[in-house]
Amino acid sequence: MSLIVPVNKIQGLESAYRTAATEKKSEGKGAFEALYQSAIGLLEETNRYTHEAEEAQMSYMLGLNDNVHDLLIAQNKANLSLQYTVAIRNGVLDAYKELIQMQF
């Protein structure tokens, strides 16, 4: 299974970081805070997709919905969102490990 990372979400994180870096002086907010808020937003989105997939699965099992395509789409959205979240987490951990290993 390969990890598929949506480019538009990565660009969204990058643009949020750059926007926060340029507005740092005017608003007093740090770039880290904006990046943190973007990460929280992505986690909330992943959680929302997971709940939607669970609701679609329950609806299908109870016979309220007989459309298998909607169920598969909801499950795939949740799966891709989770894979993306894990890939971002791994990237942050790798960057942290590199910073720890730096010698000054």
Side-chain angles (χ1 to χ4, degrees):
M1 182 185 306
S2 66
L3 293 177
I4 300 174
V5 179
V7 175
N8 59 350
K9 288 189 178 185
I10 292 174
Q11 291 171 347
L13 279 175
E14 182 182 359
S15 66
Y17 179 78
R18 288 182 186 200
T19 302
T22 56
E23 295 176 354
K24 182 179 178 181
K25 293 178 183 176
S26 63
E27 293 183 11
K29 289 185 178 180
F32 179 77
E33 182 180 350
L35 187 61
Y36 177 75
Q37 292 301 325
S38 295
I40 293 296
L42 290 174
L43 287 174
E44 289 172 353
E45 183 179 4
T46 299
N47 193 28
R48 183 175 49 88
Y49 283 141
T50 302
H51 286 298
E52 287 176 4
E54 289 173 354
E55 288 177 5
Q57 185 177 4
M58 289 300 286
S59 171
Y60 183 76
M61 288 191 309
L62 292 173
L64 301 174
N65 187 4
D66 61 349
N67 192 348
V68 179
H69 297 291
D70 290 339
L71 173 63
L72 291 176
I73 288 170
Q75 289 176 337
N76 282 334
K77 278 183 181 180
N79 186 26
L80 287 175
S81 182
L82 182 62
Q83 287 178 0
Y84 176 69
T85 302
V86 169
I88 293 294
R89 180 196 64 111
N90 290 342
V92 168
L93 287 176
D94 288 342
Y96 176 74
K97 288 176 185 176
E98 285 186 29
L99 284 174
I100 293 299
Q101 292 177 356
M102 286 182 152
Q103 294 180 359
F104 294 101

